[in-house]
């Protein structure tokens, strides 16, 4: 029987709703055998997840999803198989966490101008002392009756040209890929179809990504349609990138995304786990 891989998901250490150990238990229930925990800009949940993985008999891949600003657009780079103690990685992620606090204060100020009260305290309550993201603001806005759902908040408040939008100033592509490579990991472009790039722009992103040492493209994603999977299969083949697979699961209140439910890897592709860089234990 072939193994079920899920190499992209989130816990309460970023904007997911399950604690790392709960997330691992859920993955095991869904039949996942190799799981990467990839919280935004943080590896704080890895140790807890790894302990839970031992109990549940699945393989936990230490991962992260790094926020990058590339040509004024936010792009996410997943790092897989990381030495989470690596100094360059630690320093880089710490800088991003500090920036998240700066950005949160700016978002809060902007939202308060729309009449929302105590925006920073409210969002911080949802973040529970962990890193703060737009989703935590969104949950607070829903609680305060400013929108019907988290999705609705993004549309009305948190994206470009909306009152709570703050343009991100994240890591550069070169930095993010560099930290991952220095930590012995493999860099993968997350959910490539979500960026809505023209072919020329996507080619440029991939060229720069490869130049920096990047190796993979997340062809199969919980946020990709069948057509997008086909498109990204062709892109991966054309650029000689390894293919990754990740649900981008954030918890059970996102019922349209589940773990262990993605289609099979197209046979023409070379999956990331067939690379020599992949640890033997998870092969
Ligand atoms: P941040 O890194 O704090 O800017 O937040 C990015 C996260 O917000 C993504 O990883 C998603 O979890 C969430 N997100 C982004 N866009 C949307 C959307 N349109 N609807 C719901 N959640 C979204
Ligand atoms: Mn997220
Ligand atoms: Mn992402
Ligand atoms: Mn993600």
């Amino acid at each position: 029987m072939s193994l079920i891989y899920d190499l992209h998901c989130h816990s309460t250490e970023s904007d997911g709703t399950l604690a790392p150990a709960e997330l691992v238990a859920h993955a095991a229930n869904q039949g996942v055998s190799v799981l990467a925990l990839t919280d935004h800009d943080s590896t704080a949940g890895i140790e807890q997840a790894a302990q839970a993985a031992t109990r549940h008999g699945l393989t936990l891949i230490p991962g992260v999803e790094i926020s990058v600003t590339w040509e004024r657009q936010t792009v996410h780079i997943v790092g897989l198989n990381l030495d989470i103690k690596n100094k360059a990685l630690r320093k880089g992620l710490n800088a991003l966490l500090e920036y998240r606090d700066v950005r949160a204060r700016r978002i809060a100020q902007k939202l308060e101008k729309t009449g929302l009260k105590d925006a920073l305290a409210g969002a911080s309550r949802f973040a529970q002392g962990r890193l703060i993201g737009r989703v935590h603001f969104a949950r607070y806005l829903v609680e305060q009756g400013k929108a019907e759902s988290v999705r609705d908040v993004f549309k009305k408040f948190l994206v470009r040209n909306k009152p709570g939008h703050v343009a991100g100033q994240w890591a550069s592509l070169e930095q993010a890929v560099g930290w991952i490579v220095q930590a012995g990991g493999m860099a993968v472009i997350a959910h490539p179809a979500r960026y809505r790039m023209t072919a020329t722009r996507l080619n440029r992103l991939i060229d720069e990504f490869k130049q920096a040492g990047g190796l993979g493209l997340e062809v199969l994603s919980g946020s990709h349609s069948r057509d997008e999977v086909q498109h990204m299969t062709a892109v991966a083949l054309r650029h000689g990138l390894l293919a990754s697979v990740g649900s981008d699961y954030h918890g059970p209140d996102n019922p349209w995304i589940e773990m262990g439910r993605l289609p099979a890897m197209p046979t023409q592709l070379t999956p990331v786990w067939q690379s020599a860089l992949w640890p033997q234990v998870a092969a």
Side-chain angles (χ1 to χ4, degrees):
M1 213 190 81
S2 62
L3 299 177
I4 297 184
Y5 289 82
D6 192 329
L7 305 178
H8 185 159
C9 65
H10 298 272
S11 76
T12 44
E13 291 298 334
S14 62
D15 55 9
T17 54
L18 297 182
E22 295 171 335
L23 186 72
V24 169
H26 181 70
N29 256 321
Q30 291 300 120
V32 173
S33 27
V34 181
L35 178 73
L37 174 60
T38 57
D39 275 309
H40 296 287
D41 308 323
S42 170
T43 57
I46 298 295
E47 205 172 297
Q48 218 196 106
Q51 286 169 9
T54 308
R55 292 197 296 276
H56 290 280
L58 58 74
T59 301
L60 194 276
I61 304 290
V64 72
E65 181 177 19
I66 302 182
S67 310
V68 162
T69 302
W70 181 77
E71 294 191 354
R72 307 173 73 193
Q73 182 175 3
T74 298
V75 168
H76 287 169
I77 303 295
V78 160
L80 298 172
N81 291 313
L82 304 166
D83 166 12
I84 61 169
K85 297 203 169 99
N86 175 269
K87 286 219 172 84
L89 178 70
R90 294 258 56 82
K91 197 168 165 223
L93 295 183
N94 282 336
L96 290 178
L97 295 188
E98 279 172 24
Y99 171 65
R100 277 189 177 271
D101 286 337
V102 172
R103 186 190 66 153
R105 285 195 290 275
R106 289 194 194 136
I107 293 175
Q109 274 172 0
K110 287 195 146 192
L111 288 174
E112 286 180 359
K113 285 190 184 143
T114 72
L116 181 73
K117 294 219 161 40
D118 303 322
L120 189 58
S124 301
R125 174 157 50 79
F126 282 93
Q128 297 183 323
R130 281 24 171 258
L131 68 78
I132 189 157
R134 283 185 292 167
V135 169
H136 303 114
F137 282 97
R139 292 185 188 135
Y140 179 58
L141 278 139
V142 172
E143 183 198 71
Q144 295 299 303
K146 303 286 183 190
E148 297 217 324
S149 65
V150 165
R151 273 202 161 176
D152 203 26
V153 178
F154 271 85
K155 257 190 251 156
K156 286 185 180 151
F157 293 94
L158 297 179
V159 295
R160 193 169 297 172
N161 299 322
K162 298 296 169 180
H165 179 254
V166 173
Q169 293 170 351
W170 304 108
S172 71
L173 183 62
E174 211 180 354
Q175 284 174 324
V177 175
W179 302 334
I180 292 166
V181 170
Q182 287 178 74
M186 186 189 289
V188 172
I189 299 176
H191 42 62
R194 291 283 62 74
Y195 310 127
R196 305 252 168 258
M197 288 182 187
T198 61
T200 324
R201 190 170 163 86
L202 182 60
N203 285 337
R204 195 161 66 237
L205 171 69
I206 293 174
D207 285 344
E208 287 184 25
F209 170 73
K210 285 174 69 176
Q211 197 116 44
L215 295 174
L217 189 70
E218 200 173 70
V219 172
L220 294 164
S221 162
S223 74
H224 283 176
S225 69
R226 265 173 39 184
D227 283 357
E228 288 169 341
V229 169
Q230 264 194 8
H231 174 208
M232 291 306 160
T233 297
V235 170
L237 288 172
R238 181 154 15 95
H239 288 274
L241 290 170
L242 298 164
S244 191
V245 42
S247 60
D248 208 0
Y249 183 76
H250 280 70
D253 44 351
N254 257 2
W256 53 92
I257 291 183
E258 184 47 281
M259 284 184 152
R261 290 289 146 81
L262 290 174
M265 179 68 74
T267 52
Q268 320 89 288
L269 293 170
T270 307
V272 286
W273 54 87
Q274 278 173 15
S275 143
L277 277 178
W278 201 259
Q280 287 308 303
V281 59

